[in-house]
Amino acid sequence: MLYNSRRVITLARKLRLVDYFALGWGTMVGVGWLVVMDDWLLRGGVLGAILGFAIGGALLLPIGYVYGRLVAAMPDAAGEVAYTSKVFPQSISFATGWMMILAYFIVCPWEAVAVGRIAGYIFPALDSVELYRIAGQPVYLPHLLIGLGLTGLLTVLNYRGIRLSATFQNWTAFGTLALFVLFVSFGVSKGSPRNFPPIFTHSPFVSVFLVMQIVPYFMTGFESVVKGAEEASPEFRARGFLKAIWMAIVVGILFYIVVIASVGYVAPWKQLTSEKFMTAVAFEHAVGSRWIVRVILAAALLSLFKVFNGNFVAASRLLFAIGRRGLVDRRLGYVHPRNQTPSIAVVCIGLATGACMFLGDAILVPVSEVGSVASAIGWLAACAAYYQMGPAPRERLVAVIGVTVGLLMILMKVIPGVPGHFTAYEWLALGIWILLGVGLGWRRNPSPNSL
């Protein structure tokens, strides 16, 4: 809560179990299955990609359990910041929160850029009026206008109220699942197991390992449930947080496995990796008609809207929460008296998203890689905090597993020589974000009511 003009103003309490599932799963599953399917298959082959997502996703279940326990005990929008502040110094809490803001926020401009790319695929005339190039990639005016329009819409939705945002999230999340079932069902009826080879693109271990490296980025979002913890309906039960988190992880794993297997089944995928949006091309190849492409693109657009909105919610709530704690400018902790939303934090995320769109997708790619590591840092910190709180021995073991998984996910991206490790661009992006955090600084006098 926050005091606005001497009156206690709290966030609106309107979210239910279905809303939390839609937030967690919707924030996690975006349009990677359409936009970068070629990268997944080239990394591991069909079986390598399936195993990579299955194993990598399953390793997140202990982390999800820890989050479920923590949020039930501390329903605080600050999430990892709140948990770590109980057992670690303030500097660690701020650093953890700052990295998690990156993990959520960077998805927003990425999705805003992606909607322009998908629109350009549907209507090629939109790939025109090139304004400039960054790293050799063109930035088109129509793409910018579409992305900025969507950013404006989501900013208004989240400014006006969490119920509006949650309704939008539910329709887009379940609409995506319905369209997904439709196009997969029709597509696989035309496929053949003969299309699967090569099932691995490298040795089996390396194939699976290369895919597991990217799982944190494409599975980030289940923990966004905790960022909306203060907005739970009065009838909501605390155990529902863990249900929503685990449901999001399990459905996310199944979604990725099914879509990868389907693409490998419906067409000779190795011949299609040079195609733009190869998932759509593969299904069109199998069915022999453009209608299924339209269904896939509709599903992708709905998925893009929900992951954009979900990450917008998580980023704005976390920014609001660290502002409320005095770790950054306290004005970010303001609650709108009528809408009961973190209005200033919402506007800041909207403006920053719009500004980053002008960088184009070439610059956002390395930052997205950093976002994957940022998520792992947050997961590690949350599990370490839970361990330090001294739960029962069995739960301490789960926390140790979570710490280990988070640490390994970080190391396999930052250690030189490991396949798929950070390049100079990723280190530059990470350095810029850290310097920005240092520039904002963390205050030494947080509100005593927020710790």
Side-chain angles (χ1 to χ4, degrees), residues 80-90 93 325 385 450-451:
E80 297 82 2
V81 179
Y83 312 146
T84 53
S85 69
K86 293 293 182 181
V87 292
F88 296 127
Q90 180 183 318
S93 294
R325 288 171 168 258
S450 64
L451 297 179

Side-chain angles (χ1 to χ4, degrees), residues 32-317:
W33 54 273
L34 174 69
V35 177
V36 290
M37 177 61 72
D38 55 338
D39 177 66
W40 296 357
L41 292 175
L42 289 173
R43 281 172 179 263
V46 176
L47 186 56
I50 289 173
L51 292 175
F53 272 97
I55 297 171
L59 290 174
L60 300 181
L61 288 171
I63 298 175
Y65 175 82
V66 169
Y67 270 97
R69 298 288 291 175
L70 285 169
V71 68
M74 289 178 280
D76 191 319
E80 297 82 2
V81 179
Y83 312 146
T84 53
S85 69
K86 293 293 182 181
V87 292
F88 296 127
Q90 180 183 318
S91 57
I92 292 180
S93 294
F94 176 79
T96 302
W98 189 243
M99 295 306 292
M100 287 304 293
I101 288 176
L102 173 63
Y104 296 124
F105 165 69
I106 195 55
V107 178
C108 297
W110 176 254
E111 301 301 333
V113 169
V115 71
R117 293 180 63 193
I118 294 174
Y121 184 78
I122 301 173
F123 305 106
L126 295 176
D127 293 339
S128 60
V129 194
E130 181 179 325
L131 299 177
Y132 50 85
R133 289 179 175 251
I134 295 182
Q137 297 295 320
V139 176
Y140 297 112
L141 177 61
H143 292 198
L144 274 177
L145 294 178
I146 292 171
L148 291 172
L150 178 59
T151 301
L153 171 64
L154 295 185
T155 302
V156 171
L157 280 178
N158 283 279
Y159 186 92
R160 292 292 302 275
I162 187 60
R163 188 66 258 163
L164 278 175
S165 179
T167 300
F168 178 86
Q169 190 74 3
N170 292 345
W171 277 101
T172 51
F174 289 102
T176 299
L177 286 172
L179 292 176
F180 172 74
V181 171
L182 176 64
F183 76 74
V184 167
S185 300
F186 276 96
V188 296
S189 65
K190 306 293 184 179
S192 168
R194 293 192 298 271
N195 294 323
F196 279 135
I199 58 175
F200 295 109
T201 51
H202 306 82
S203 68
F205 175 79
V206 171
S207 296
V208 174
F209 182 77
L210 286 174
V211 175
M212 284 181 62
Q213 283 186 321
I214 60 173
V215 168
Y217 178 72
F218 292 103
M219 294 288 285
T220 294
F222 63 88
E223 76 292 337
S224 65
V225 167
V226 310
K227 309 309 183 294
E230 295 181 38
E231 295 162 278
S233 166
E235 294 78 29
F236 185 81
R237 296 293 176 263
R239 61 178 178 272
F241 288 120
L242 179 58
K243 288 182 181 178
I245 290 171
W246 268 15
M247 285 167 59
I249 294 174
V250 171
V251 174
I253 294 170
L254 292 175
F255 182 95
Y256 284 126
I257 287 176
V258 171
V259 74
I260 292 168
S262 299
V263 171
Y265 186 79
V266 300
W269 66 268
K270 190 70 173 179
Q271 302 174 20
L272 304 176
T273 53
S274 61
E275 297 284 347
K276 187 178 183 181
F277 301 149
M278 72 164 291
T279 300
V281 174
F283 277 88
E284 182 181 15
H285 184 280
V287 176
S289 174
R290 287 285 296 179
W291 73 264
I292 199 165
V293 173
R294 297 189 185 96
V295 173
I296 292 171
L297 292 177
L301 284 173
L302 287 180
S303 190
L304 185 152
F305 295 158
K306 69 176 176 53
V307 78
F308 191 169
N309 185 63
N311 279 282
F312 197 109
V313 170
S316 60
R317 268 53 179 182

